[in-house]
Amino acid sequence: LRLPDRQDRELVGFSASLKENQISELAKLKKDLYEFEIHKEQLIDSYKKACKLCQYEPFRVCLLFYAIKDMFVYSFYNQSSITKTDYSTNLDLDQTEGSFEAYSSYNLLFHTIHVFSQAVNSAIERNLLGSELSVISALLHDYGKSEGIITEIDALPNQKRNEKGRSHQEYSGYYVYFLLRQKIKKKVYTSLGSSWEQEHSDEVEADFKKIQRTVTLHHIPSDNEKQIDDSILFVKTADMKAREK
């Protein structure tokens, strides 16, 4: 497929007696479908590589699968990958004129897929041992930008709705621990049985806490030696490189 040009739009539009704005909408739809197919293949490829990276361990494969499913459950495609507030407070991003428009042109779904793909390929190319949780954290780092996830978290008991100053990375951390963790534990423990749960429950809890910490702190300055670690640096790098493409 190729992107629509002016003649394509005129031919389709005028033959159907459409108005000018409807012609433009058709062109945008055609482009969106083209881009979605590309990103769909990228997502499938990255998921397969990530599963292999996790050595097909059932808990982590299940975590990957349902996290990816949630991108569609919460309609990431219909949301921008960045807001003005996020842009102005993220010192890792280019702040020159026109940069915000360039960053915001990608929706949250495509950006999340780009970062996930970047993380998976980086871990494989650098042969990083024990990088599975860092890759999963890269996938989950911006889930707190989803309006649906924010609404669901705000509705949880003891949560102050739209708490002033709560960042998207904090919402990402809450999603990991309060929404995704509960879902995955139920799925995995039901499937694998009580004996697997007894043997691995401490490891599962530790994994979720590490992922939660990484996504919550992925925007801290790189020179913050008290809090920065290799997993946070890995996610920050994947995020920045994905934005550059």
Side-chain angles (χ1 to χ4, degrees), residues 139-199:
L139 168 65
L140 297 170
H141 79 292
D142 271 352
Y143 276 49
K145 292 180 178 179
S146 163
E147 295 173 4
I149 287 174
I150 291 171
T151 300
E152 199 166 327
I153 289 170
D154 285 343
L156 292 173
N158 302 319
Q159 296 291 323
K160 295 180 181 179
R161 185 166 180 79
N162 294 321
E163 183 178 319
K164 187 175 181 180
R166 183 179 282 176
S167 64
H168 80 265
Q169 53 266 36
E170 288 177 297
Y171 274 111
S172 294
Y174 288 136
Y175 163 79
V176 167
Y177 201 73
F178 294 111
L179 300 184
L180 185 63
R181 169 174 158 269
Q182 296 302 323
K183 182 188 303 180
I184 299 305
K185 285 174 64 175
K186 182 178 180 181
K187 296 283 185 184
V188 171
Y189 293 162
T190 300
S191 176
L192 299 179
S194 58
S195 60
W196 192 96
E197 179 181 355
Q198 291 174 0
E199 183 178 351

Side-chain angles (χ1 to χ4, degrees), residues 37-55:
E37 284 299 315
I38 293 175
H39 286 85
K40 182 181 74 173
E41 294 302 319
Q42 187 180 27
L43 177 59
I44 292 171
D45 180 62
S46 298
Y47 171 67
K48 290 178 179 178
K49 288 178 179 177
C51 289
K52 184 176 181 180
L53 204 62
C54 293
Q55 300 179 28

Side-chain angles (χ1 to χ4, degrees), residues 14 27-28 42 49 51 57 62-63 105 112 127 132 148 162 167 205 225 234 245:
F14 292 139
K28 182 179 183 299
Q42 187 180 27
K49 288 178 179 177
C51 289
E57 195 280 321
C62 183
L63 198 165
S105 65
T112 302
N127 194 26
E132 304 95 315
N162 294 321
S167 64
E205 286 297 313
E225 296 180 0
F234 180 87
K245 293 184 177 181

